[in-house]
Amino acid sequence: MNRGAIISCTVILLALIGLVATATEPAAHRAIVITNDYEFTPDNGVCSGQGTTEDPYIIENWRIDAGLDDYGIRIHGTTRAFIIRNVEISGAAKAGIYLSYVKNGTIEDCAFEANWIGVVLSFSSLNRISDCTFEENVDGIHLYFAHDNQILGNTFGRNDTAIWLDASDGNEITDNLIAKSHMGTYLNLGSEGNKIVDNAFLDNYHNAHSDSPNMWDNGSVGNYWSDYEAIDADGDGIWDSPYQITSEGDRDNRPLVTHPRAPAPPAPTCDN
């Protein structure tokens, strides 16, 4: 291949790489408000989809600086399936994303920083929040009367409260890193029957509070608590004593010695 052809191929390859990078880099967008199933439109940031479970509406690759707006994205009263993906939201006075009376929504691979609340689910069910990051919000996620939702594989750091549930039942909170917050997980106003399992609670001022019965282990594994250490006599990776959540009896009966999302302890050293 001659030199000119090589240069031409190189230029084309660099251009293609630039197009791919541009396609995935979030672009600026105004705050989005959707108040019924018919407002999932391109003007409201919808990039594709038909609103079915097989082909949900997709809202993705946006950067929303809420500024003086109450919400970055507010969706109310919808039943169509949608995914909010790769969206960055900051500065919302009330919530980065606010879902009320909503079903079949997914929020994934999003970033929330310096909002009053990162994500609110209010009177909403069958929604999933996964693989998102929540940094320096007052609350990371707050549920009000929200049932049967999933909070999976998220990372929380330096929030006042990472996850707060009010009067919300039957939700699944699994495989999250909940770190460096004043309160890790706060279950209030009779929130019960929630499954909080296989999370890593790391360096929080308070790890957890619950005022009603909830599930903190599944009989095999519980959660990792960085402020807790007991005896693991059989070396099965489970502390032999339960981790007490409340004095009323809520407890993690299978607290984990380690967790993949928690840093490994420093290697022992020899004193000289």
Side-chain angles (χ1 to χ4, degrees), residues 64-94:
I64 301 174
D65 182 356
L68 300 177
D69 291 304
D70 287 340
Y71 309 103
I73 299 175
R74 182 170 72 90
I75 300 178
H76 171 80
T78 65
T79 60
R80 305 302 296 272
F82 65 86
I83 297 175
I84 301 172
R85 177 193 298 143
N86 193 33
V87 173
E88 301 173 0
I89 303 178
S90 61
K94 292 185 177 179

Side-chain angles (χ1 to χ4, degrees), residues 3-270:
R3 183 179 179 186
I6 292 173
I7 293 173
S8 297
C9 291
T10 302
V11 170
I12 292 171
L13 179 60
L14 291 173
L16 290 172
I17 291 172
L19 287 173
V20 171
T22 301
T24 56
E25 185 71 20
H29 199 286
R30 61 168 175 78
I32 294 169
V33 177
I34 296 171
T35 59
N36 59 62
D37 285 335
Y38 303 101
E39 293 181 354
F40 286 98
T41 63
D43 190 51
N44 278 325
V46 177
C47 303
S48 62
Q50 298 297 317
T52 65
T53 54
E54 296 78 15
D55 187 20
Y57 292 123
I58 305 294
I59 300 172
E60 68 177 344
N61 298 333
W62 299 119
R63 183 180 68 256
I64 301 174
D65 182 356
L68 300 177
D69 291 304
D70 287 340
Y71 309 103
I73 299 175
R74 182 170 72 90
I75 300 178
H76 171 80
T78 65
T79 60
R80 305 302 296 272
F82 65 86
I83 297 175
I84 301 172
R85 177 193 298 143
N86 193 33
V87 173
E88 301 173 0
I89 303 178
S90 61
K94 292 185 177 179
I97 295 179
Y98 187 92
L99 305 184
S100 56
Y101 296 92
V102 166
K103 292 183 178 179
N104 305 315
T106 296
I107 302 168
E108 62 184 24
D109 296 307
C110 294
F112 303 89
E113 184 175 0
N115 303 284
W116 186 257
I117 304 175
V119 175
V120 170
L121 302 183
S122 176
F123 293 93
S124 296
S125 60
L126 305 177
N127 301 288
R128 184 175 74 229
I129 306 168
S130 64
D131 300 305
C132 298
T133 60
F134 297 84
E135 296 282 342
E136 298 183 342
N137 306 282
V138 176
D139 297 343
I141 295 174
H142 203 140
L143 273 59
Y144 302 90
F145 300 92
H147 312 304
D148 303 314
N149 301 284
Q150 294 179 312
I151 301 172
L152 310 175
N154 302 285
T155 299
F156 300 84
R158 298 188 300 277
N159 303 282
D160 188 8
T161 300
I163 302 173
W164 187 329
L165 275 62
D166 279 329
S168 297
D169 306 332
N171 299 285
E172 179 183 358
I173 302 171
T174 299
D175 193 33
N176 300 282
L177 173 59
I178 301 170
K180 300 182 184 302
S181 298
H182 183 79
M183 172 63 72
T185 302
Y186 190 81
L187 287 77
N188 194 36
L189 299 181
S191 296
E192 61 183 26
N194 298 286
K195 179 181 178 183
I196 308 99
V197 174
D198 198 22
N199 302 283
F201 290 83
L202 183 67
D203 298 332
N204 301 293
Y205 189 77
H206 298 289
N207 280 324
H209 168 82
S210 174
D211 66 3
S212 295
N214 290 282
M215 181 188 300
W216 298 88
D217 65 84
N218 61 12
S220 298
V221 299
N223 299 278
Y224 172 79
W225 312 92
S226 66
D227 62 350
Y228 185 67
E229 185 173 337
I231 296 173
D232 180 18
D234 56 5
D236 64 351
I238 307 293
W239 294 123
D240 296 340
S241 302
Y243 181 87
Q244 203 72 29
I245 307 297
T246 67
S247 59
E248 287 75 21
D250 239 15
R251 63 186 189 177
D252 180 352
N253 294 294
R254 305 286 290 173
L256 301 174
V257 175
T258 62
H259 192 282
R261 305 201 66 178
T269 59
C270 297

